[in-house]
Amino acid sequence: MLLSDRAKDAIKVALAMVIAYAIALYMDWDRPYWAALAVAFISLETSGQSFHKGLQRLGGTLLAAFMALTLLSLFPQQRWMFMIALSFYVFFCTYMMKSRHNPYFWNVAAFVTIIVAVDAAASNQPAFYTAVLRIQETALGVITYSMVSVILWPRTSSKTLVRTSKNLTKSGLALFQSTIDREFVSNPHKYLQQQGEFSALQAKFAELSNIAELESYEVWEVSKQWKDTGKLWTQYERALEVWRQSFNEVDDLELETRIPWLTRYEAEITRRFKTIIDLTEGKDVKPKPLFRDFHIKEIDISGLQYFQKAALSLYIHQLDEIERITYQLHELTTVIFSENTSNQLDFHVKESTQPDVINMGQLKGALRAFLCLWVAYLSYIYFPNLPAGTVLVILAGVYSVTLSSNPYLKPVSILVPGILSSAFGAFIYLLIMPHLHSFWSLGTVIFLSVFAIAYLFHTPQLILGRMFGLANFVMMTNIANHQSYSFNFVADQLLVFLLVIAIYAAISIFTFNLRPEVQYLNLLRRFFASTNFLLTEHQKEPHLEPTKLRQYIRRHHLNEVESIPHKMTGWITGTSPGLDKHQLRRTVIILEALSIRLSVLINELKIAQSSQLYAALRKDIHDWSAQLKTDFAELVKDPTGATIGEAVRQCALSMPEMETTIAKVLEERGKDGIDLEERLNIYRILGGIRSVCRALEDYEDQSLKMDWPQLQEARF
């Protein structure tokens, strides 16, 4: 009977752990469990992922060793200055974990500095010895697992990348077809599930495209094309959602009649996806020119009012964006899977999104780690009878830094896996290890224990249990050449764990109030505050060049508007059972629609700054946005939507006035006297205004269904 992938992965982790222990014990190194911890934390699905994470762990350890020695040399007899410098360095590293590419490097750089500096300060061993020992033990663990994963059932990232690319394309095609079939209306649960699967595959693809080049020359040779493909998939996800948001605006326009090439367009996009799938499967695909001749002038706009033309213009613009993205995806895939990798492409893929300025979630996480470290340190100083005082400081830093990126995780939820894994380690340590008299018997126990933990906690959803299980097993067994056994050691370890969780919970509750209802409302207010800022920004005179700082802040608020609805979704699960979670999710969906429509409108307004048509409409648009700004400012104070009706009514009154103004300008200058793109741009602006108004109406209606009193109820 063939072994499953689950069993193979568990065997590799267990075997690497035994080998790491064997080498460290043979070399008579202190604390061989450091090498075992490196094995536990870098074991991932593919060899490339494990090696990449191992390099980050080793690099972070090198930086941590340097920083620990530097801090100890600067403040050898000044414990308060030492702690101030250490905590600010940990704060910086924890905040830098927001990096998309190397978060684990900064994680290791933070907590290993705490381990080396605090341990060396309280130990008889020289600090340099502790730092070097940590480096060599980490290197041993990384090299051991990397060698085992390469030799034993190797699973390369390049093959996984190709397989993920195929699955991502299939998911993208399914989402495209579901969007055409309006499944968001007929079967919203299925559609949202498809979106979630697509996002998960997209994240996995982005990670693998950065890793696979480390282990495959074929991937390295076209690494730029792989990364550009990842950027395009990000653009595709947003373009598809923007397109879906416009359906309600054009439902009454008989699209099949007014857009004669719509059926061919849908068939062409589908054909491109199927060709990409065939290429990823290694099939021999004969090159065939892509049809791109979708002429915008072939649209029938007779009898349409200006706002209907605006809605149709937005719809066509979004079709054009999806066509561009799928064309570039097709061309990039052709280059990646062709033998001639020197093929020239006639386009350049830009970054999908600009980096955010201030990551508020990670900033709060860094401050939480900072405070946890100080509470543990003050407890160590002023309560000298606490068991394993230095271990308390170290573990408080390790846990708070590691958990800083996961604000949704309740401290109480850590207790169960922590206590169970500690009990398992204590059982091995107290009842089995005293009867072992050779490394063969000890190695067998290590192998079976690690195999059981890795096998039981195999799936990504159980990764937290796996990390706790392996780490607590390693720490509780405390394997060394000079082994001793004590029940007090077990009790102290468990007590320290409980104290660390208590500190983390106290900081989370009393300082940041991480109650899901509070966070949901806070994010809602932040969303409206950022939209308020962006509306203020677009009203500035076009000839005034914004300063670098202003551009910086604007980018932050754009990121807030785009990312906050997703963050709100993460808090819904933990809300009170009495709240209707369906209504909470419905509110988030409306905010996502408002976010997309606002960003599209603001982009079109930016393009139109020098347009004469826009100059004629500037006063009407500014009056509308001024009223909207006022209402958003009120929503920051009171997000229940009680004050939003005025902006909706103002929009209804402004629409006919804007339409009359456009008709007058076109009549004065003549239709042919105005550039087509300028006319289309102003149509898209009008369509954007109407779509924003409709999203506000939806929010106003939805706010009536929300149980605001219970959501705002003050509770501990």
Side-chain angles (χ1 to χ4, degrees):
M1 180 179 175
L2 295 176
L3 291 172
S4 64
D5 289 339
R6 183 178 183 178
K8 290 176 181 177
D9 288 341
I11 289 172
K12 287 194 286 187
V13 177
L15 182 61
M17 188 87 76
V18 172
I19 294 172
Y21 265 124
I23 295 174
L25 291 171
Y26 179 78
M27 300 295 292
D28 200 20
W29 289 345
D30 290 337
R31 304 174 192 180
Y33 56 82
W34 280 352
L37 286 172
V39 171
F41 283 101
I42 71 164
S43 53
L44 295 172
E45 181 182 358
T46 67
S47 302
Q49 287 175 292
S50 299
F51 185 64
H52 182 255
K53 192 174 182 182
L55 287 179
Q56 288 191 63
R57 188 175 182 94
L58 190 56
T61 302
L62 290 170
L63 175 60
F66 171 77
M67 287 305 303
L69 294 175
T70 301
L71 292 174
L72 288 168
S73 63
L74 289 174
F75 311 106
Q77 301 297 328
Q78 299 168 285
R79 65 183 184 183
W80 294 110
M81 288 302 299
F82 164 78
M83 193 59 197
I84 289 171
L86 174 63
S87 56
F88 274 105
Y89 166 76
V90 169
F91 176 89
F92 170 76
C93 288
T94 307
Y95 179 74
M96 289 304 294
M97 285 170 60
K98 72 184 178 67
S99 166
R100 288 181 295 171
H101 300 302
N102 299 307
Y104 190 60
F105 168 84
W106 293 107
N107 184 3
V108 175
F111 76 72
V112 173
T113 302
I114 299 171
I115 292 172
V116 174
V118 174
D119 187 89
S123 171
N124 294 326
Q125 297 287 357
F128 184 77
Y129 170 82
T130 305
V132 171
L133 180 65
R134 181 75 191 197
I135 293 170
Q136 65 187 25
E137 298 263 18
T138 300
L140 171 62
V142 171
I143 293 171
T144 300
Y145 185 79
S146 298
M147 293 299 294
V148 169
S149 65
V150 168
I151 295 171
L152 199 62
W153 301 301
R155 194 184 305 171
T156 62
S157 297
S158 56
K159 291 181 180 178
T160 307
L161 174 62
V162 173
R163 185 168 62 251
T164 303
S165 177
K166 180 182 71 174
N167 293 336
L168 182 59
T169 309
K170 288 181 177 179
S171 180
L173 174 58
L175 202 56
F176 176 77
Q177 291 172 336
S178 295
T179 305
I180 292 173
D181 296 337
R182 312 292 177 94
E183 282 200 7
F184 183 80
V185 177
S186 61
N187 193 349
H189 178 74
K190 179 183 176 183
Y191 188 85
L192 291 173
Q193 186 177 11
Q194 283 182 318
Q195 274 189 326
E197 290 171 357
F198 180 85
S199 297
L201 284 168
Q202 181 189 336
K204 185 177 181 180
F205 179 89
E207 179 189 7
L208 288 169
S209 62
N210 288 314
I211 291 172
E213 60 182 321
L214 296 174
E215 59 179 7
S216 170
Y217 176 76
E218 288 77 11
V219 175
W220 175 83
E221 202 174 15
V222 287
S223 60
K224 183 180 183 302
Q225 285 78 12
W226 277 116
K227 290 173 183 175
D228 284 347
T229 301
K231 296 174 188 175
L232 285 173
W233 280 122
T234 303
Q235 294 176 20
Y236 172 78
E237 182 179 31
R238 180 167 178 80
L240 204 63
E241 182 61 18
V242 173
W243 180 42
R244 186 189 68 77
Q245 294 285 350
S246 67
F247 281 9
N248 290 339
E249 311 288 334
V250 296
D251 272 344
D252 57 344
L253 298 186
E254 299 177 348
L255 293 177
E256 291 78 7
T257 303
R258 298 193 177 276
I259 309 176
W261 42 262
L262 186 59
T263 302
R264 182 168 187 180
Y265 173 90
E266 294 170 358
E268 174 64 19
I269 301 300
T270 301
R271 184 177 74 86
R272 293 178 188 181
F273 278 126
K274 289 182 177 179
T275 303
I276 294 172
I277 293 169
D278 289 342
L279 286 168
T280 56
E281 290 178 344
K283 295 180 181 178
D284 185 17
V285 179
K286 295 181 180 179
K288 183 180 178 181
L290 299 182
F291 181 79
R292 305 195 69 195
D293 198 17
F294 301 109
H295 291 298
I296 196 166
K297 293 181 180 179
E298 295 178 2
I299 302 169
D300 179 15
I301 58 173
S302 59
L304 295 181
Q305 297 178 347
Y306 283 107
F307 282 102
Q308 291 175 321
K309 293 177 183 177
L312 191 60
S313 176
L314 268 177
Y315 187 85
I316 299 297
H317 182 69
Q318 288 144 15
L319 288 178
D320 184 61
E321 181 70 2
I322 292 172
E323 190 280 329
R324 176 192 66 81
I325 293 170
T326 54
Y327 166 75
Q328 292 181 356
L329 280 171
H330 179 277
E331 296 301 291
L332 282 169
T333 308
T334 303
V335 171
I336 289 171
F337 290 98
S338 66
E339 295 182 359
N340 183 13
T341 57
S342 61
N343 290 348
Q344 295 295 318
L345 297 171
D346 59 353
F347 56 84
H348 172 71
V349 180
K350 297 180 180 180
E351 286 288 342
S352 304
T353 55
Q354 293 181 321
D356 59 311
V357 182
I358 306 168
N359 188 315
M360 296 301 296
Q362 194 60 36
L363 188 65
K364 290 180 179 179
L367 184 57
R368 195 158 61 248
F370 179 90
L371 293 174
C372 285
L373 191 59
W374 268 100
V375 170
Y377 180 70
L378 292 174
S379 301
Y380 169 64
I381 294 293
Y382 291 107
F383 298 97
N385 293 327
L386 280 176
T390 56
V391 177
L392 175 67
V393 178
I394 290 171
L395 287 185
V398 171
Y399 276 85
S400 59
V401 168
T402 304
L403 297 174
S404 65
S405 299
N406 193 353
Y408 311 119
L409 184 67
K410 294 181 179 180
V412 177
S413 65
I414 306 172
L415 280 176
V416 174
I419 292 174
L420 289 178
S421 55
S422 296
F424 177 71
F427 172 78
I428 301 293
Y429 173 77
L430 292 174
L431 300 180
I432 295 179
M433 286 179 57
H435 302 287
L436 306 178
H437 302 290
S438 68
F439 184 76
W440 291 108
S441 54
L442 176 63
T444 302
V445 170
I446 295 172
F447 183 90
L448 293 175
S449 302
V450 174
F451 176 86
I453 296 169
Y455 188 84
L456 289 173
F457 300 95
H458 175 71
T459 61
Q461 294 79 7
L462 298 175
I463 191 67
L464 180 65
R466 174 171 169 163
M467 294 298 102
F468 266 113
L470 292 175
N472 282 354
F473 167 77
V474 168
M475 294 297 295
M476 192 64 78
T477 52
N478 196 30
I479 296 170
N481 271 329
H482 305 287
Q483 193 76 38
S484 60
Y485 303 99
S486 168
F487 181 79
N488 287 339
F489 171 78
V490 172
D492 288 349
Q493 289 289 322
L494 184 57
L495 181 58
V496 167
F497 169 74
L498 294 175
L499 285 172
V500 167
I501 298 303
I503 290 171
Y504 184 76
I507 295 295
S508 299
I509 293 170
F510 294 108
T511 308
F512 295 96
N513 197 353
L514 294 182
R515 193 162 68 85
E517 292 85 354
V518 173
Q519 293 302 314
Y520 187 93
L521 288 168
N522 286 344
L523 287 169
L524 196 55
R525 292 187 177 95
R526 275 171 52 188
F527 177 87
F528 289 123
S530 291
T531 54
N532 193 11
F533 175 88
L534 293 173
L535 286 168
T536 305
E537 191 71 5
H538 99 81
Q539 289 183 336
K540 293 185 178 296
E541 294 299 323
H543 62 274
L544 295 177
E545 186 69 24
T547 63
K548 293 290 184 183
L549 178 61
R550 199 72 181 174
Q551 293 176 22
Y552 207 59
I553 297 173
R554 181 178 182 275
R555 197 161 68 239
H556 164 68
H557 285 289
L558 275 172
N559 181 270
E560 287 275 273
V561 169
E562 292 176 3
S563 64
I564 279 177
H566 174 71
K567 294 175 182 176
M568 290 174 68
T569 303
W571 291 105
I572 292 175
T573 305
T575 54
S576 170
L579 284 168
D580 188 343
K581 292 179 174 51
H582 172 72
Q583 298 301 338
L584 295 176
R585 292 191 182 95
R586 178 66 185 161
T587 301
V588 170
I589 290 170
I590 291 171
L591 288 180
E592 286 176 338
L594 181 58
S595 163
I596 289 171
R597 294 175 186 188
L598 268 173
S599 60
V600 169
L601 174 60
I602 289 170
N603 185 58
E604 293 296 337
L605 287 169
K606 187 177 179 182
I607 294 171
Q609 291 294 335
S610 59
S611 164
Q612 294 184 21
L613 271 175
Y614 177 73
L617 284 174
R618 185 188 299 276
K619 184 179 183 306
D620 292 330
I621 293 174
H622 279 206
D623 288 345
W624 169 76
S625 58
Q627 180 59 55
L628 189 62
K629 215 169 73 62
T630 302
D631 281 7
F632 278 151
E634 290 297 321
L635 283 169
V636 174
K637 301 174 187 175
D638 178 19
T640 61
T643 60
I644 205 171
E646 187 57 38
V648 175
R649 285 187 289 274
Q650 179 71 22
C651 185
L653 293 172
S654 301
M655 292 283 188
E657 296 176 7
M658 293 182 190
E659 188 169 346
T660 303
T661 303
I662 291 178
K664 189 182 296 184
V665 173
L666 290 175
E667 186 179 345
E668 290 174 356
R669 295 182 55 189
K671 183 179 177 182
D672 296 332
I674 300 177
D675 182 71
L676 173 63
E677 187 54 40
E678 186 178 343
R679 293 203 310 271
L680 293 175
N681 172 235
I682 208 68
Y683 290 158
R684 290 195 293 268
I685 288 175
L686 295 181
I689 290 173
R690 187 168 72 165
S691 64
V692 168
C693 287
R694 288 196 173 182
L696 289 172
E697 285 184 83
D698 290 341
Y699 183 81
E700 186 181 26
D701 293 340
Q702 177 61 23
S703 66
L704 299 175
K705 303 173 185 176
M706 291 280 288
D707 189 355
W708 294 107
Q710 184 170 357
L711 189 62
Q712 296 173 326
E713 183 184 357
R715 284 183 292 149
F716 176 70

